[in-house]
Amino acid sequence: MEKRLRALLSALFLGACLLLFQNCSQNNVGSNPNQNFPESTALNYFKTTQKIVVDVYYEPGAEPFADTTLAGMPYWQILEDNLQAIFQYRSSIPVLVVPKQINEMNTLPAQNKTDWLGTEILDLHSRTNQERSTAAEAHFSVYFLKGYFNSGSGPSNAVLGVSLSGTPVLAIFKDVINSSSSSAVVKKYVEQSTLVHEMGHALGFVNNGVPMATHHQDTAHGAHTTNSDCVMYWMNEGAGDLRNFVQKYITSGSTVMWGPEVLLDAKNYSE
């Protein structure tokens, strides 16, 4: 029974990771958004803020997966574990507030949109979110939306999530998550992996505000790492590499998806 369960988990994680790295988008929404989010900087996250809060909003029909794994772990614990790993080097480790259950998240009115520009996501944020970051308390806003991301050249049914550059705003496109697999468990891991990846961009990785301790940026693919065993890799190529990544993850029991290069970046930059 144990061998069958391990084989099932391997297959589920393999599908999740393959989908994640093929479908990531970091979006620049225009002229210097930091003017509107002056405290939303890597400098603040890794040196001064004392509390980091993840605020989650969702449309009807785009609810996040907020149940537990077979082992009883909340799926949102994956995101929290990765945030804990990245902030472990702070001399004063910030308090993390990550919702685990759907009643800890916020409902939105139906938006009745088929696709979303980055500027439209920011407009939704300005109309919805009243939690502004300060030097002492940083807020990230994650929007679970129906429809697809539109980079300006039309909607894409391949983009799972976006981090809007220079802002604490992320969006997850639930229609893409739901179409990622026929397996409910795979979808849940796809969702969490996408959250970790996009939070990585928002925090300043790779070379996106947090300086690199060693050169590992895949400059051909923007703010991504060259390490295929890291969640910040742009795409895992080939079943063999993915299988190795998955097996290490399962056998170690770890939920931490960062590679050592990203963790070293965080360590060197933290105060």
Side-chain angles (χ1 to χ4, degrees), residues 256-270:
V256 175
M257 299 177 179
W258 313 111
E261 299 87 356
V262 167
L263 290 171
L264 184 59
D265 291 349
K267 182 178 182 179
N268 278 17
Y269 194 57
S270 295

Side-chain angles (χ1 to χ4, degrees), residues 102-250:
I102 199 70
N103 62 5
E104 299 173 318
M105 305 175 190
N106 306 285
T107 56
L108 294 169
Q111 300 298 303
N112 302 312
K113 290 179 63 62
T114 57
D115 61 274
W116 292 84
L117 295 167
T119 51
E120 292 173 328
I121 297 168
L122 282 184
D123 179 65
L124 173 66
H125 177 71
S126 68
R127 291 184 282 109
T128 301
N129 193 295
Q130 303 302 314
E131 300 292 346
R132 304 290 294 185
S133 292
T134 66
E137 182 170 312
H139 284 259
F140 290 90
S141 299
V142 184
Y143 293 89
F144 281 76
L145 304 173
K146 293 184 66 64
Y148 303 97
F149 180 64
N150 186 339
S151 64
S153 56
S156 170
N157 62 3
V159 175
L160 292 160
V162 294
S163 168
L164 300 182
S165 296
T167 83
V169 180
L170 292 73
I172 305 297
F173 300 99
K174 195 68 181 193
D175 289 344
V176 186
I177 297 288
N178 284 334
S179 65
S180 64
S181 174
S182 59
S183 165
V185 178
V186 169
K187 294 176 188 177
K188 294 169 186 178
Y189 280 103
V190 168
E191 186 166 284
Q192 283 297 309
S193 299
T194 304
L195 282 164
V196 174
H197 186 101
E198 300 305 339
M199 279 293 298
H201 285 314
L203 288 169
F205 304 106
V206 169
N207 201 24
N208 193 42
V210 176
M212 292 184 292
T214 60
H215 184 75
H216 63 101
Q217 183 181 9
D218 182 358
T219 53
H221 297 103
H224 294 95
T225 184
T226 55
N227 181 2
S228 59
D229 289 333
C230 175
V231 74
M232 299 308 294
Y233 187 59
W234 86 280
M235 183 177 69
N236 270 306
E237 295 187 63
D241 290 339
L242 277 171
R243 193 173 296 113
N244 292 336
F245 177 81
V246 169
Q247 289 299 335
K248 284 187 293 185
Y249 182 80
I250 294 172

Side-chain angles (χ1 to χ4, degrees), residues 1-43:
M1 180 66 180
E2 182 179 351
K3 290 177 66 177
R4 289 177 60 192
L5 179 58
R6 286 172 61 84
L8 174 61
L9 287 173
S10 294
L12 294 176
F13 272 90
L14 181 63
C17 292
L18 178 62
L19 285 157
L20 166 66
F21 297 112
Q22 289 177 331
N23 302 294
C24 163
S25 178
Q26 191 184 18
N27 187 248
N28 191 325
V29 291
S31 58
N32 198 6
N34 268 1
Q35 291 178 348
N36 297 321
F37 303 97
E39 301 295 343
S40 298
T41 65
L43 186 70

Side-chain angles (χ1 to χ4, degrees), residues 77-86 196 255-258:
Q77 188 65 46
I78 296 172
L79 176 61
E80 182 167 318
D81 286 354
N82 280 273
L83 292 177
Q84 288 175 342
I86 217 70
V196 174
T255 54
V256 175
M257 299 177 179
W258 313 111

